[in-house]
Amino acid sequence: MTRTSEISGFYKLPPEERVRRVKEFANLTDDEASLLGSTGSLGLQTADRMIENVIGAIPVPLGIATNFLINGKDYLIPMAIEEPSVVAAASNAAKMARSTGGFKTSTTGSVMIGQIQVVGIADPNAARFDLLSQKDLILKKANEQDPMLVSLGGGARDLRARVIDTPRGRMIIAELLVDCKDAMGANAVNTMAEAVAPLVEGLTGGRVLLRIISNLATERLMRAKAIFSTDALGGAEVVDAILDAYAFAASDIYRASTHNKGIMNGVTAVVLATGNDTRAIEAGAHTYAARSGRYQPLTCWEKNGDGNLVGTLEMPLAVGLVGGATATHPIARISVKILGVKSALELGEIICAVGLAQNLAALRALATEGIQRGHMNLHARNVAIAAGAEGDLIDRVAAKMVEERRVRMDRAKEILQQLKGT
Ligand code: MEV
């Protein structure tokens, strides 16, 4: 039988039947097929309603970061991530921040930007004025699309427009500014942008093409600040070493990329745990980091008058509490309950604090003993498991590899053989 990936009506099949088809295609064993079907707390039917062509779910560990004191309130923070050491690092940094009052956060609000691209206008500057003169009309049309959001105090707030030069000529980019309140806002904003498009065409005489939210949520910035005392960090040399590490990131984009990756370890883990859109947050974060035209670290580190280290993080964080997977995924709902947040802004601010904590932990480790020692134990356990160790053999194989400083699959297998032999 020829194997083809062209399976007509695959989307219409029940998940169990899809699993059967994939099993056949990929020669999966019975065990592999049944593992696919066991989606745990998500439930196969719920997963099937969330995306298309579902055959299973891929569980990611959910850890709890402890010690977070944010604006005087204690939080336990759920983090969904496959990488060892991240949760421990966040918890450690949060502990260090406690003696100096923990994290202080703030926000610019929950306004998202919906972009409407208008092409084919001979006199775009004049057309822009015509468009802006009818701002009230456009906002009214936009707000008619979402009476619920408006009743909650949100809705389209402003209209702005720019003329941009492009390889295909000049265009008007109209932007709807929409207060999305507790929603991430993609649905509300996209609906509004589509609904006002005919009005925009009428007013400008141009043709509307794209109508879509921007993930560069510069009107939804979160800010977090914390002081880390010299004592908590381990001395004045550590403070200086962290400042040197930060200077490296501020002056070199290869380092800035990894610096920001460390921040995103914390950010994305909480975004995922709460069922929010990790890609939207990542896209916004990295674009924000490059907003000056040069990719920069998202955090800033300084020494205050007392010689303590002060960290700040400002980044767009468009997360929601209503709609999307946050509402449908049972574990995401529990994560939100553990956090005890009352608004999407509170959630965004917490995530910002976690990003800052994560960055501090990484910089401190890198600028002192290096990150490998902390990583090694968990990594060694993972390698031991991959080599086939089970039960108490996992720890015994891992401990031996760490002791020898040789954490490798071939060595894990050898040690496993030896231990099994004895
Ligand atoms: C690893 O996941 C993250 C770090 O590389 C971040 C950093 O280098 O700042 C440790």
Side-chain angles (χ1 to χ4, degrees), residues 186-203:
N187 276 331
V189 171
N190 294 341
T191 306
M192 288 181 184
E194 290 189 6
V196 302
L199 271 179
V200 172
E201 288 189 331
L203 289 164

Side-chain angles (χ1 to χ4, degrees), residues 2 11 24 135 147 153 195 217 231 238 260 409 411:
T2 51
Y11 73 98
E24 207 172 87
K135 175 170 117 176
D231 285 351
V238 180
N260 287 345
M409 181 70 89
R411 184 62 192 135

